[in-house]
Amino acid sequence: MDILTNRFKAGLVEGRQQIGLWTSLGSPISTEVVAGAGFDWLLIDMEHSPNDLRDIYGQIQAMGEGTARPVVRVPSDDPVLIKRVLDTGAQSLMIPNVEDADQARRVVAATRYAPAGIRGFSQAPRAARFGRIPDYHVRANAEICVLVQVESRRALDNLETVAEVEGVDGVFIGPGDLSASLGFLGQQNHPEVVRTIEEAVARIGRAGKAAGILTPSEELARRYIAAGTRFTAVGSDLGLLARSAEALAARFRGA
């Protein structure tokens, strides 16, 4: 498989379950460690972490020999930032808080070269391996994967029209903000929240798109997979480090 083929996007098209891990520590070292652990994808977070563009660049490089493919969550739908992240070589982007079809179409346009979109042209970014991939600009549009994040009542109301936008490859349900929007702040496992998420997963599937979710709960992860999610993040680097460190300290405290 050549370097331009987006294996994560191909997996969505094929309907394969892809298990992922959230990464927010901002370190290429920790990212390299978890990239080789056997996950299919890693979410590199720019919305709720200290990651900036240089951090993203280094972490994508660090993932080169691992099993996992990078998905970058940008902090907003800013087309300038989207362009710069794509130039680092990221091919799969998650855009937070997409609430209607018009916004989804603008997001897709920001990831495409003209005439299909508005992505700015750069002759030799890292994405084109500094000009060493001669057909990069011809093939790039088809290999970009756009994941839109729905995380509010308004987004749920518009879910089908958002999912049906051409160029949207997957819809990720943000359980934290969604639970808050539904009136259950900090209660992502509340029965009403879980029911709403399962219904949304089914609606996304009926619209012909892949549904995604993040949950550190193994019980909920398996439940959402059974409901139909196709890219499922089952934990985070921060959570693994914090909880494992606490457990180890607790076993020896007072020994």
Side-chain angles (χ1 to χ4, degrees):
M1 188 175 292
D2 70 87
I3 195 171
L4 276 187
T5 298
N6 186 339
R7 299 205 307 267
F8 176 80
K9 182 173 182 176
L12 295 186
V13 171
E14 294 166 8
R16 288 189 281 108
Q17 177 60 240
Q18 297 185 90
I19 301 299
L21 186 77
W22 222 252
T23 61
S24 57
L25 292 177
S27 165
I29 298 173
S30 60
T31 297
E32 184 177 17
V33 170
V34 294
F39 294 102
D40 299 302
W41 59 287
L42 299 184
L43 189 289
I44 307 175
D45 191 20
M46 297 182 76
E47 185 184 15
H48 292 293
S49 81
N51 281 316
D52 61 22
L53 194 65
R54 286 184 178 271
D55 297 317
I56 298 301
Y57 198 110
Q59 288 173 76
I60 290 175
Q61 289 175 316
M63 291 178 64
E65 296 181 2
T67 59
R69 308 313 303 157
V71 176
V72 177
R73 180 166 73 171
V74 294
S76 73
D77 61 2
D78 177 3
V80 175
L81 182 56
I82 288 173
K83 169 183 62 179
R84 298 189 72 194
V85 171
L86 290 173
D87 281 350
T88 69
Q91 292 180 298
S92 302
L93 300 187
M94 184 181 295
I95 295 83
N97 199 33
V98 174
E99 294 198 315
D100 59 43
D102 286 341
Q103 185 184 6
R105 280 188 283 268
R106 292 195 300 271
V107 164
V108 172
T111 69
R112 266 52 171 181
Y113 289 123
I118 62 169
R119 179 184 175 187
F121 180 88
S122 175
Q123 183 65 44
R126 181 184 180 274
R129 296 307 184 268
F130 317 106
R132 295 172 185 142
I133 303 177
D135 60 347
Y136 172 78
H137 299 90
V138 175
R139 294 183 54 199
N141 284 0
E143 296 299 334
I144 299 301
C145 180
V146 174
L147 309 172
V148 296
Q149 190 165 344
V150 297
E151 44 192 339
S152 69
R153 284 186 181 275
R154 182 165 182 262
L156 285 181
D157 291 342
N158 295 322
L159 184 55
E160 282 77 11
T161 57
V162 168
E164 291 166 359
V165 168
E166 183 176 358
V168 168
D169 299 290
V171 179
F172 182 89
I173 301 166
D177 283 309
L178 181 59
S179 62
S181 182
L182 295 174
F184 302 102
L185 178 63
Q187 302 178 64
Q188 298 179 34
N189 61 346
H190 189 282
E192 181 66 17
V193 174
V194 173
R195 181 188 64 79
T196 300
I197 289 174
E198 289 178 322
E199 290 176 355
V201 169
R203 292 167 64 192
I204 295 164
R206 287 194 295 270
K209 298 298 169 67
I213 194 78
L214 161 68
T215 176
S217 164
E218 182 173 345
E219 177 186 355
L220 281 180
R222 295 190 182 280
R223 184 167 172 173
Y224 292 144
I225 289 170
T229 58
R230 286 296 173 265
F231 58 109
T232 311
V234 296
S236 69
D237 57 355
L238 181 61
L240 289 173
L241 179 61
R243 302 295 84 77
S244 296
E246 291 162 0
L248 180 61
R251 288 199 297 272
F252 284 89
R253 188 180 297 117

